[in-house]
């Protein structure tokens, strides 16, 4: 394996980790506020469909981005209505959203485009263009450092850079701002927050709004990356993001490394469809299943050690 191949694998890992990172941060905000968000998968799927459909019709990925974010926000508000306003079970509400998104995207897609639930292929302005950073061409000639800058750091879309910038921004919001302090307090002890005269409902809805926006960005990225929407294209990424969130112990910087690990495994699985170890050949199905196998291992090995916010999954009833 030469240096250029390693860079190409890492570059692919960054691209594949982008939607996972955005979705993981979405779950981070909602769960830090005490709202378990199993519906990340549904938001991701709904955003990808609406972004792909809007971009196909208008020819603009930016309009697609707006549609994807609005669709994800609508699902977030449905989740909030069921689990916060009506104090329903948060797990059941999230699972219901996942089923709703899986069915609606195919039915509406078939009704609109007659392509078996797919959207028309995206091209040109219907997809995000890659950003070449300054001096990338000139630095490519410099040994070691140049190819890393040109192949690995430069040449990504705006949402990839935004996703990685969202990590320090999320850390600052959660740990250095008054809003973040109150948000974390709601996830730990909503009664104390309510006693201080701060609305628990408003804070939890605010967290769901942030989660909806981030999932909308992730879904739009998926639609642009795949040049359109196809049935179940999220492929369990919402659940993988939840596993990464548990692995990261609900912390932004740990979430970055956890999602990069998942992205790297997926990139390796895509690059090496079969690996020969002497006379034994690792089947392609095993390589493709690597991220999901890791998900099971992490949930089995770390779920007992990772301590979630104390009020996570609990509805809050205001005392009168």
């Amino acid at each position: 394996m030469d240096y250029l191949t390693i860079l190409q694998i890492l570059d692919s890992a960054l691209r594949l980790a982008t939607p996972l990172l955005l979705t993981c941060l979405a779950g981070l905000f909602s769960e830090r506020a005490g709202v378990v968000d199993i519906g990340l998968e549904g938001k991701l799927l709904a955003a990808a469909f609406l972004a792909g459909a809007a971009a196909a019709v208008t020819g603009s990925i930016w309009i697609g981005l707006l549609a994807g974010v609005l669709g994800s926000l609508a699902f977030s508000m449905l989740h909030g209505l069921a689990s916060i306003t009506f104090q329903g079970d948060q797990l059941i509400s999230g699972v219901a959203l996942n089923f709703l998104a899986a069915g609606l995207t195919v039915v509406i897609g078939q009704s609109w485009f007659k392509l078996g639930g797919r959207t028309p292929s995206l091209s040109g302005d219907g997809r995000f263009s890659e950003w070449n950073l300054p001096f990338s061409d000139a630095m490519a000639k410099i040994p070691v450092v140049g190819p890393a800058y040109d192949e690995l750091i430069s040449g990504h879309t705006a949402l990839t850079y935004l996703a990685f910038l969202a990590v320090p921004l999320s850390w600052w919001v959660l740990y250095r701002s008054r809003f973040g302090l109150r948000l974390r307090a709601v996830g730990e002890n909503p009664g104390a927050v309510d006693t201080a005269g701060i609305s628990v409902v408003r804070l939890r809805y605010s967290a769901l709004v942030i989660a909806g926006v981030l999932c909308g960005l992730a879904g739009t990225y998926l639609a642009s990356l795949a040049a359109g929407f196809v049935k179940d294209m999220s492929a369990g990424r919402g659940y993988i993001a939840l596993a990464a969130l548990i692995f990261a112990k609900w912390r932004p910087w740990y979430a970055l490394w956890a999602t990069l690990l998942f992205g790297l495994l997926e990139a390796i699985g895509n690059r090496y469809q079969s690996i020969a170890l002497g006379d034994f050949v690792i089947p392609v199905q095993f390589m493709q299943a690597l991220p999901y196998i890791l998900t099971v291992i992490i949930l089995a090995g770390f779920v007992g050690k990772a301590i979630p916010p104390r009020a996570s999954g609990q509805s809050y009833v205001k005392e009168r």
Side-chain angles (χ1 to χ4, degrees):
M1 184 185 298
D2 59 10
Y3 181 58
L4 184 59
T5 302
I6 294 174
L7 289 180
Q8 289 172 347
I9 293 174
L10 293 176
D11 177 71
S12 178
L14 290 180
R15 297 173 191 271
L16 294 170
T18 297
L20 289 177
L21 178 57
L22 287 168
T23 310
C24 188
L25 292 176
L28 172 67
F29 276 97
S30 61
E31 297 208 8
R32 276 293 186 178
V35 181
V36 174
D37 206 349
I38 299 294
L40 292 174
E41 178 80 3
K43 296 175 191 176
L44 195 60
L45 199 59
F49 169 72
L50 288 172
V57 172
T58 64
S60 171
I61 189 59
W62 298 106
I63 295 178
L65 176 63
L66 178 61
V69 169
L70 289 176
S72 179
L73 278 173
F75 269 64
S76 266
M77 293 303 98
L78 276 176
H79 185 45
L81 186 67
S83 60
I84 300 175
T85 302
F86 295 124
Q87 300 170 5
D89 189 288
Q90 296 176 6
L91 294 177
I92 294 175
S93 171
V95 171
L97 288 180
N98 292 341
F99 283 126
L100 182 64
L104 278 180
T105 51
V106 175
V107 172
I108 297 176
Q110 173 63 19
S111 174
W112 286 357
F113 303 109
K114 312 296 182 184
L115 294 173
R118 297 184 293 110
T119 62
S121 296
L122 304 179
S123 60
D125 291 337
R127 300 179 67 185
F128 286 110
S129 58
E130 296 179 349
W131 285 10
N132 291 318
L133 298 181
F135 311 111
S136 60
D137 293 335
M139 289 189 64
K141 301 175 183 178
I142 302 175
V144 183
V145 177
Y149 181 77
D150 184 48
E151 292 284 340
L152 185 59
I153 301 176
S154 180
H156 296 283
T157 65
L159 286 188
T160 299
Y161 296 114
L162 181 61
F164 287 93
L165 285 174
V167 176
L169 180 60
S170 298
W171 175 85
W172 185 86
V173 169
L174 285 172
Y175 294 98
R176 290 294 182 269
S177 70
R178 180 181 298 178
F179 171 77
L181 174 64
R182 292 174 174 177
L183 194 72
R184 288 185 291 121
V186 164
E188 296 291 340
N189 192 341
V193 174
D194 189 25
T195 303
I198 302 168
S199 173
V200 174
V201 171
R202 185 183 299 113
L203 280 171
R204 287 188 167 179
Y205 266 109
S206 298
L208 286 180
V209 167
I210 296 172
V213 171
L214 290 171
C215 280
L217 296 176
T220 305
Y221 179 87
L222 277 181
S224 175
L225 185 68
F229 175 85
V230 294
K231 178 183 177 182
D232 295 330
M233 72 178 302
S234 53
R237 284 181 174 86
Y239 299 112
I240 293 177
L242 278 175
L245 182 61
I246 295 171
F247 185 41
K249 298 182 179 179
W250 294 270
R251 297 178 183 176
W253 288 109
Y254 291 0
L256 170 63
W257 302 118
T259 52
L260 283 175
L261 176 61
F262 281 107
L264 178 62
L265 286 176
E266 188 175 355
I268 293 173
N270 293 339
R271 178 85 179 192
Y272 299 102
Q273 296 295 309
S274 59
I275 298 178
L277 299 175
D279 295 331
F280 177 73
V281 178
I282 299 177
V284 61
Q285 291 84 359
F286 177 81
M287 298 302 297
Q288 292 174 342
L290 265 180
Y292 306 97
I293 294 172
L294 181 64
T295 301
V296 175
I297 293 173
I298 285 176
L299 288 176
F302 291 91
V303 71
K305 300 177 183 177
I307 302 174
R310 283 185 294 176
S312 180
Q314 300 175 11
S315 299
Y316 178 70
V317 181
K318 185 178 177 66
E319 295 183 2
R320 298 185 183 278

